[in-house]
Amino acid sequence: MKRNTKINLVLLALVAALAVLPLALGLGDHKKEPFTGSDSEAETAITEIDPDYEPWFSPLYEPPSGEIESALFALQAALGAGVLAYYFGLRRGRRQGEERARAGLEAERGDVPADDSRAGAGQG
């Protein structure tokens, strides 16, 4: 198995553990809403410290329900992931295109370098 494959599998296992362990260990069972966001946790902490606290700002848009708020957050996350994936794919494609163009120019000139891909085939 290649080194990159091992690293990817370990990272995937860590992400799965981060998602499953809080549920399996029952973290948050003592709370009314165990997996609320940090905004509501902060609001709860502030009202416990100072019940007369008034916020400086109010939200520009208040979704009618928690489900809609979650859906908008998921949409925002999906759009961000799409932009990042596009950017990294574009960079990789450009790099591969440059490598192919360079190899084509070297082949035209007759300066074909020795194939190094077979030298490291047994490593990993």
Side-chain angles (χ1 to χ4, degrees), residues 89-113:
L90 185 68
R91 281 190 52 193
R92 183 174 183 182
R94 284 183 179 171
R95 186 177 59 234
Q96 287 176 347
E98 288 173 0
E99 290 171 0
R100 287 181 186 155
R102 191 176 305 118
L105 288 174
E106 289 174 354
E108 282 181 11
R109 290 187 300 184
D111 300 338
V112 178

Short mmCIF file of all heavy atoms in Angstrom, two decimals, residues 89-113:
data_model
loop_
_atom_site.label_atom_id
_atom_site.label_comp_id
_atom_site.label_asym_id
_atom_site.label_seq_id
_atom_site.Cartn_x
_atom_site.Cartn_y
_atom_site.Cartn_z
N GLY A 89 -8.45 21.78 -8.01
CA GLY A 89 -8.49 21.04 -9.27
C GLY A 89 -7.88 21.84 -10.41
O GLY A 89 -7.16 21.31 -11.25
N LEU A 90 -8.16 23.13 -10.45
CA LEU A 90 -7.60 24.01 -11.46
C LEU A 90 -6.08 24.06 -11.34
O LEU A 90 -5.37 23.96 -12.35
CB LEU A 90 -8.20 25.41 -11.33
CG LEU A 90 -7.82 26.42 -12.39
CD1 LEU A 90 -8.41 26.02 -13.74
CD2 LEU A 90 -8.31 27.80 -11.99
N ARG A 91 -5.58 24.21 -10.12
CA ARG A 91 -4.13 24.24 -9.91
C ARG A 91 -3.48 22.95 -10.36
O ARG A 91 -2.44 22.95 -11.01
CB ARG A 91 -3.81 24.48 -8.43
CG ARG A 91 -3.93 25.92 -8.02
CD ARG A 91 -3.40 26.16 -6.65
NE ARG A 91 -2.05 25.64 -6.53
CZ ARG A 91 -1.41 25.48 -5.39
NH1 ARG A 91 -2.00 25.80 -4.27
NH2 ARG A 91 -0.20 25.02 -5.34
N ARG A 92 -4.09 21.82 -10.01
CA ARG A 92 -3.52 20.52 -10.38
C ARG A 92 -3.55 20.34 -11.90
O ARG A 92 -2.58 19.86 -12.49
CB ARG A 92 -4.29 19.39 -9.71
CG ARG A 92 -3.72 18.04 -10.00
CD ARG A 92 -4.40 16.97 -9.24
NE ARG A 92 -3.76 15.70 -9.50
CZ ARG A 92 -4.15 14.57 -9.00
NH1 ARG A 92 -5.18 14.54 -8.19
NH2 ARG A 92 -3.53 13.46 -9.29
N GLY A 93 -4.64 20.74 -12.53
CA GLY A 93 -4.73 20.64 -13.98
C GLY A 93 -3.70 21.49 -14.69
O GLY A 93 -3.10 21.06 -15.68
N ARG A 94 -3.49 22.69 -14.21
CA ARG A 94 -2.47 23.56 -14.80
C ARG A 94 -1.09 22.95 -14.65
O ARG A 94 -0.28 22.98 -15.58
CB ARG A 94 -2.51 24.94 -14.16
CG ARG A 94 -3.66 25.78 -14.63
CD ARG A 94 -3.60 27.16 -14.03
NE ARG A 94 -4.72 27.96 -14.50
CZ ARG A 94 -5.02 29.15 -14.02
NH1 ARG A 94 -4.30 29.68 -13.05
NH2 ARG A 94 -6.04 29.81 -14.51
N ARG A 95 -0.80 22.42 -13.46
CA ARG A 95 0.50 21.81 -13.23
C ARG A 95 0.71 20.61 -14.16
O ARG A 95 1.77 20.45 -14.76
CB ARG A 95 0.65 21.39 -11.76
CG ARG A 95 2.05 20.89 -11.42
CD ARG A 95 2.20 20.53 -9.96
NE ARG A 95 1.25 19.49 -9.59
CZ ARG A 95 0.39 19.57 -8.59
NH1 ARG A 95 0.36 20.64 -7.84
NH2 ARG A 95 -0.43 18.57 -8.32
N GLN A 96 -0.30 19.77 -14.31
CA GLN A 96 -0.19 18.62 -15.20
C GLN A 96 -0.05 19.07 -16.64
O GLN A 96 0.71 18.48 -17.40
CB GLN A 96 -1.42 17.72 -15.05
CG GLN A 96 -1.43 16.95 -13.75
CD GLN A 96 -2.70 16.12 -13.59
OE1 GLN A 96 -3.68 16.30 -14.31
NE2 GLN A 96 -2.68 15.22 -12.61
N GLY A 97 -0.75 20.11 -17.04
CA GLY A 97 -0.62 20.64 -18.39
C GLY A 97 0.78 21.16 -18.67
O GLY A 97 1.34 20.93 -19.75
N GLU A 98 1.34 21.86 -17.69
CA GLU A 98 2.71 22.36 -17.85
C GLU A 98 3.69 21.21 -17.97
O GLU A 98 4.62 21.25 -18.78
CB GLU A 98 3.09 23.25 -16.67
CG GLU A 98 2.39 24.59 -16.66
CD GLU A 98 2.65 25.37 -15.39
OE1 GLU A 98 3.38 24.87 -14.50
OE2 GLU A 98 2.11 26.49 -15.28
N GLU A 99 3.52 20.16 -17.16
CA GLU A 99 4.41 19.01 -17.23
C GLU A 99 4.31 18.31 -18.58
O GLU A 99 5.32 17.92 -19.17
CB GLU A 99 4.11 18.02 -16.10
CG GLU A 99 4.50 18.53 -14.74
CD GLU A 99 4.01 17.64 -13.60
OE1 GLU A 99 3.35 16.61 -13.88
OE2 GLU A 99 4.29 17.98 -12.44
N ARG A 100 3.09 18.18 -19.10
CA ARG A 100 2.91 17.55 -20.42
C ARG A 100 3.52 18.40 -21.52
O ARG A 100 4.13 17.88 -22.46
CB ARG A 100 1.42 17.31 -20.69
CG ARG A 100 0.85 16.20 -19.88
CD ARG A 100 -0.61 15.99 -20.21
NE ARG A 100 -1.19 15.00 -19.33
CZ ARG A 100 -2.47 14.93 -19.03
NH1 ARG A 100 -3.32 15.78 -19.55
NH2 ARG A 100 -2.91 13.99 -18.21
N ALA A 101 3.33 19.71 -21.44
CA ALA A 101 3.91 20.59 -22.44
C ALA A 101 5.42 20.53 -22.40
O ALA A 101 6.09 20.48 -23.44
CB ALA A 101 3.42 22.03 -22.22
N ARG A 102 6.00 20.51 -21.20
CA ARG A 102 7.44 20.43 -21.05
C ARG A 102 7.96 19.11 -21.61
O ARG A 102 8.97 19.07 -22.32
CB ARG A 102 7.83 20.57 -19.57
CG ARG A 102 9.30 20.76 -19.35
CD ARG A 102 9.65 20.99 -17.88
NE ARG A 102 8.91 22.10 -17.30
CZ ARG A 102 8.04 21.98 -16.28
NH1 ARG A 102 7.83 20.81 -15.73
NH2 ARG A 102 7.41 23.03 -15.81
N ALA A 103 7.24 18.02 -21.33
CA ALA A 103 7.66 16.71 -21.84
C ALA A 103 7.56 16.68 -23.36
O ALA A 103 8.41 16.09 -24.04
CB ALA A 103 6.80 15.61 -21.23
N GLY A 104 6.52 17.32 -23.92
CA GLY A 104 6.37 17.37 -25.38
C GLY A 104 7.50 18.15 -26.03
O GLY A 104 8.02 17.76 -27.07
N LEU A 105 7.90 19.28 -25.43
CA LEU A 105 9.00 20.06 -25.97
C LEU A 105 10.31 19.30 -25.91
O LEU A 105 11.12 19.33 -26.85
CB LEU A 105 9.14 21.39 -25.22
CG LEU A 105 8.05 22.43 -25.49
CD1 LEU A 105 8.23 23.63 -24.56
CD2 LEU A 105 8.08 22.86 -26.94
N GLU A 106 10.52 18.59 -24.81
CA GLU A 106 11.75 17.81 -24.67
C GLU A 106 11.78 16.67 -25.68
O GLU A 106 12.82 16.34 -26.23
CB GLU A 106 11.88 17.28 -23.25
CG GLU A 106 12.19 18.35 -22.23
CD GLU A 106 12.17 17.84 -20.79
OE1 GLU A 106 11.80 16.67 -20.58
OE2 GLU A 106 12.52 18.62 -19.90
N ALA A 107 10.62 16.07 -25.94
CA ALA A 107 10.55 14.98 -26.91
C ALA A 107 10.81 15.51 -28.33
O ALA A 107 11.44 14.83 -29.13
CB ALA A 107 9.19 14.30 -26.85
N GLU A 108 10.33 16.71 -28.64
CA GLU A 108 10.58 17.30 -29.95
C GLU A 108 12.05 17.57 -30.17
O GLU A 108 12.57 17.37 -31.26
CB GLU A 108 9.81 18.61 -30.09
CG GLU A 108 8.35 18.45 -30.40
CD GLU A 108 7.65 19.80 -30.54
OE1 GLU A 108 8.34 20.84 -30.61
OE2 GLU A 108 6.41 19.80 -30.58
N ARG A 109 12.72 18.03 -29.14
CA ARG A 109 14.14 18.34 -29.26
C ARG A 109 15.01 17.09 -29.20
O ARG A 109 16.18 17.14 -29.49
CB ARG A 109 14.58 19.28 -28.14
CG ARG A 109 14.01 20.68 -28.29
CD ARG A 109 14.60 21.60 -27.28
NE ARG A 109 14.28 21.09 -25.93
CZ ARG A 109 14.58 21.71 -24.81
NH1 ARG A 109 15.23 22.84 -24.84
NH2 ARG A 109 14.25 21.19 -23.65
N GLY A 110 14.41 15.98 -28.75
CA GLY A 110 15.19 14.74 -28.62
C GLY A 110 15.89 14.63 -27.28
O GLY A 110 16.75 13.79 -27.10
N ASP A 111 15.53 15.48 -26.35
CA ASP A 111 16.13 15.45 -25.01
C ASP A 111 15.25 14.66 -24.07
O ASP A 111 14.91 15.12 -22.99
CB ASP A 111 16.29 16.86 -24.45
CG ASP A 111 17.19 17.74 -25.31
OD1 ASP A 111 17.99 17.17 -26.06
OD2 ASP A 111 17.08 18.96 -25.20
N VAL A 112 14.90 13.45 -24.44
CA VAL A 112 14.00 12.66 -23.61
C VAL A 112 14.80 12.17 -22.40
O VAL A 112 15.77 11.44 -22.55
CB VAL A 112 13.41 11.47 -24.39
CG1 VAL A 112 12.52 10.64 -23.50
CG2 VAL A 112 12.67 11.96 -25.61
N PRO A 113 14.41 12.57 -21.18
CA PRO A 113 15.14 12.13 -19.99
C PRO A 113 14.83 10.68 -19.67
O PRO A 113 13.86 10.11 -20.15
CB PRO A 113 14.63 13.05 -18.88
CG PRO A 113 13.27 13.46 -19.36
CD PRO A 113 13.34 13.49 -20.86
#
